[in-house]
Each structure stands twice: as C-alpha cells, then as structure tokens.
Amino acid sequence: MTVSSQSQRQTQLAIMRRFAAYIRDGGSDLADAPMVNDVSVYTDPARHAAERQKLFRETPLVAALSSEIAPGAFRTFDATGVPVVVARDGGGAIRAFLNICPHRGARLVRQEEGRANRFTCWFHGWTYGADGRLIAAPEADRFCGGMAGRDHLVALPCEERHGLVFVIATPGLAMDLDAHLGSFAAVLGAMGLDSAERVKSGELPVAANWKYALDTYGEGYHFAALHKQTLAPYFRNDITIYDRFDRCHRVSWAQKDWDSWASKPESKWPVRAEPAGVHYLYPNTILFCGSVSPGKSYLTVFRHFPGEEVGSTVTHKAIYAFGGVKSPEHRAEVEAAFDATAHVVMSEDYVTAAEGWKNMCALPPGSTVVYGRQEMALQNVHRALADGCGMALPGPAGVREAAR
Ligand code: FES
C-alpha cells in the first residue's frame, strides 16, 4: 500500500467514525446559523461581469488533469472565453499560451486535444513549438522585419499541483498556488489524482446562473424531495459530514445501508483507500469521489463556467478511473456511472436550477434566499466567491435582514 493510500485510509476512517457516531446517537454537522444572500448575486449583470473577470480571468482554474496531457500532448481550454492551449513538451514541462496566432489572430490549435511537438497555423503556416517559440514562417524574408515581437506565443501563467493543471487566463499575472489552495492542498495531495485516467467527458448546459448550478452540488437536503427515485434510495439527507479548508471544503452524506457497519467494531468497517465525498475547489470545480454502487469509487470532475449571459452556464463533466482502467468491463462500468450521474444532473438538478433562476429574475429588488444550517457548504461557497470579487459578504439570517 502506498503512503498516499495509507493516509487516505486514515482520512476515511476518521470520517467514518464521525458518521458512525451520528448514525448511533443522532445529529449531524451543522453551521452555527442560517445565512441569507441577496438574490441579485444570482441575477445582476454587473455582478456577473465582475465574477467573469475576477474569478474566471484572474484566478487559477483547473484546465485539465495532469494525466490528460502526456509528454508531447496538448489540450485546448476555451471555457473562460479566452482561447488557451496547454502543451507538455517531450521533457515533461507544461506550458499554457493564448491559442491565438501572433501573425493575425487565427486560432492556432484547432483540435481539442492530441499529440504534437509543433503547431502550424492554418491561415499562413507560421509554426510554433510546444515551448511557444516561432520555428518557421513561410517567406519570412519578405516580412522585412515585421515579425519582430511575434516570435513567441503569448504565455499564460500555468502550473501543476497534485495531479491538476492550473491556468490563469490573463497573461502576466502571478500564479501563487500555495495561497490559492491554502489548507486544501493537503487534501488534494492525498487524493491520488495523478493516477486518474479519463474515461468519458461531456458538457452539461443549463439556463441558470453558474452559482445556482454550483449550489446543487453542496447540500444533501434536497435528496429526499428532488432525487426521490435516484439518490434518495441510497443516501440519507439528515447526516452530513463537513470540513472546511479555507475557501474550499469536503462534504459527504451518510448512505442508508451504513447502519450495517456503524455499530460493529472498527475492524469490521469497509474502509476504502480511495477518497470519498464532494470536494469543492474554489472557485468553480467539484471533485466528486464515490458512487451509488456499493464498493465502487470513481472520480467525477465538474467544472462550472458562466456564459456571457447571467443565466447561462456550461458544466464540463469528466469521469476518471482511479489507478487507470483495468479491463473493458471496468471501462463500461465507469462509462455507465458517467451516464447515470449526467442523467440525474440534467433531468433533476438542472431542470430545477433553470426554473429557480428564472423565478429569481421575477422577484422584487431586495429579495433574498436562505442557506440553512445543514447547507453550510453553500454558506462557505458564497462567502468565498463574494470575497474573491471584493463584494459584500452574505451574513447570518436575522442579523442581515434586521440591518436592511
Ligand atoms: Fe497565423 Fe497568419 S494568422 S500564420
């Protein structure tokens, strides 16, 4: 057993002890108080524009998993509205560039992903290496010096950490991943993301503000009502385990069949070596580790990106096999897990999100929403996002409303 899987087992055991106590004695992790937030946070075009700039253009975002870009491979990343190409050279160094040809702005790399150690623009044929340097340009002598300053692609801040590739979609900004990840870095480091092999990916669109979509990943309170047929048969919505790590968090909910081991000695518990639970990586990424199938665990990554309109979002979803795909049967099983989750998200969560966001737009100015004590993950998300945009923080119910 590796050090990483040993520490992951210890983490899982510690979480299971907390679940077992709540299952035996009742109770759940809860916030100190409910929190209210202005509806305008979800509907205001100015707030939306500020978030797109501060959170999606000036903040490190997960552009890919490290395992998705092998030496000599590349992957494009357009979801922020800025065209980006991330390339790993033959020596393993990873870099990101604007995917914009310095000659006259053509899209340089037009494939979503692939293998290449050089990129040739399809407009006039200028060719750049994976290190961003201009290698060749047809008839360069006839430019008579006009190519000066265009001999390199525009570099973007790009760094890898714990199996994730982070990019900032604005040239020249400093990348400080220690500050960005805070205490969540240790959680990511123990997750074994380096070993995850992508099996299937897709995009899930929703006509709602991106934060309304994100909210649906942070609380189990809705399982019994919204997911009556899909998640409620497996998960309890009354026992939550929640841990905050600065602007990030990990949250999970008890499964209904856990009564079977919670009152037994720990030596009989089904402790797993894979991480479990919903992990929120500020500002827009959810790493869900687990499955509704007993004994199975996959990594599903949801990255939420706002569109130009306040009420438009695309969730980039991909599922990975920890430790790689073992067999064709294993691949089919992971693909089926992707399809099952996508069906729940699109037919239940995102239908509700689209209706709910449309309703928010019909509310009078000054209206609020409330996040309950058991929705503490949402409280953390909205505090962190407001802080990241330099906006007023949401506050405790009652206190905030009395101040109006
Ligand atoms: Fe790319 Fe001309 S725009 S070579």
Side-chain angles (χ1 to χ4, degrees):
M1 185 179 292
T2 64
V3 173
S4 170
S5 58
Q6 279 177 346
S7 88
Q8 197 53 244
R9 280 182 68 87
Q10 290 306 312
T11 300
Q12 295 313 313
L13 181 59
I15 292 171
M16 290 171 81
R17 286 186 183 125
R18 293 161 67 189
F19 270 125
Y22 285 140
I23 291 169
R24 282 194 311 264
D25 308 329
S28 171
D29 288 354
L30 294 170
D32 292 338
M35 191 181 89
V36 295
N37 207 2
D38 292 329
V39 163
S40 64
V41 163
Y42 295 88
T43 59
D44 177 23
R47 170 69 181 249
H48 187 66
E51 289 178 348
R52 295 225 318 155
Q53 181 62 35
K54 298 296 290 183
L55 304 178
F56 290 87
R57 300 273 176 96
E58 299 178 12
T59 298
L61 298 177
V62 175
L65 265 64
S66 299
S67 61
E68 293 177 295
I69 309 176
F74 66 88
R75 186 166 171 75
T76 56
F77 174 53
D78 296 327
T80 66
V82 176
V84 176
V85 58
V86 185
R88 194 188 298 279
D89 67 21
I94 199 147
R95 300 177 182 86
F97 307 101
L98 292 181
N99 190 13
I100 300 174
C101 181
H103 175 212
R104 281 229 306 281
R107 184 171 174 83
L108 182 67
V109 182
R110 302 176 73 225
Q111 271 177 272
E112 189 178 334
E113 61 183 345
R115 299 187 65 84
N117 55 18
R118 54 179 55 198
F119 306 107
T120 299
C121 180
W122 72 315
F123 198 172
H124 307 94
W126 289 21
T127 297
Y128 292 85
D131 61 359
R133 282 187 298 177
L134 181 67
I135 295 173
E139 305 174 40
D141 54 328
R142 291 209 281 154
F143 260 79
C144 301
M147 294 165 71
R150 302 177 192 284
D151 56 354
H152 203 288
L153 298 174
V154 176
L156 295 170
C158 177
E159 206 174 311
E160 281 182 294
R161 193 71 60 88
H162 307 308
L164 299 172
V165 179
F166 293 88
V167 169
I168 300 178
T170 299
L173 296 185
M175 172 87 84
D176 184 349
L177 283 184
D178 291 332
H180 178 68
L181 298 175
S183 56
F184 198 56
V187 177
L188 287 176
M191 287 177 72
L193 300 177
D194 283 308
S195 77
E197 179 183 346
R198 192 182 72 215
V199 176
K200 188 169 182 179
S201 62
E203 295 184 1
L204 312 180
V206 55
N209 180 258
W210 73 279
K211 298 184 297 299
Y212 205 125
L214 176 61
D215 286 349
T216 64
Y217 296 79
E219 44 91 3
Y221 181 39
H222 69 286
F223 290 168
L226 181 61
H227 299 310
K228 202 172 301 184
Q229 311 294 335
T230 49
L231 300 184
Y234 306 100
F235 291 97
R236 297 174 61 148
N237 61 337
D238 59 339
I239 300 180
T240 303
I241 296 293
Y242 172 76
D243 293 296
R244 185 167 79 86
F245 304 91
D246 296 310
R247 297 181 298 189
C248 306
H249 62 242
R250 177 181 58 217
V251 61
S252 48
W253 301 278
Q255 289 187 213
K256 289 188 169 172
D257 62 358
W258 285 358
D259 290 353
S260 63
W261 55 260
S263 53
K264 291 181 181 173
E266 288 187 6
S267 59
K268 306 284 186 195
W269 291 3
V271 187
R272 296 182 61 82
E274 297 94 357
V278 169
H279 300 68
Y280 168 64
L281 171 53
Y282 174 89
N284 71 326
T285 298
I286 297 290
L287 302 118
F288 167 55
C289 305
S291 163
V292 295
S293 305
K296 309 287 186 186
S297 184
Y298 319 106
L299 168 68
T300 308
V301 179
F302 301 87
R303 294 176 298 148
H304 306 283
F305 295 98
E308 288 188 22
E309 302 299 323
V310 187
S312 65
T313 301
V314 176
T315 299
H316 290 227
K317 177 184 182 227
I319 195 165
Y320 306 79
F322 283 114
V325 175
K326 307 288 190 299
S327 65
E329 293 74 22
H330 186 207
R331 179 177 295 281
E333 172 192 304
V334 182
E335 288 175 348
F338 177 98
D339 294 342
T341 317
H343 176 71
V344 172
V345 169
M346 291 304 292
S347 66
E348 297 178 351
D349 294 288
Y350 282 7
V351 169
T352 309
E355 288 181 355
W357 182 78
K358 195 173 171 190
N359 283 348
M360 283 180 164
C361 295
L363 286 168
S367 297
T368 58
V369 291
V370 62
Y371 314 115
R373 291 182 65 201
Q374 74 277 60
E375 298 178 304
M376 60 280 218
L378 273 56
Q379 298 190 13
N380 180 44
V381 165
H382 286 280
R383 274 194 208 98
L385 295 178
D387 187 48
C389 290
M391 301 288 180
L393 301 190
V399 175
R400 180 77 185 282
E401 283 155 334
R404 284 179 183 282

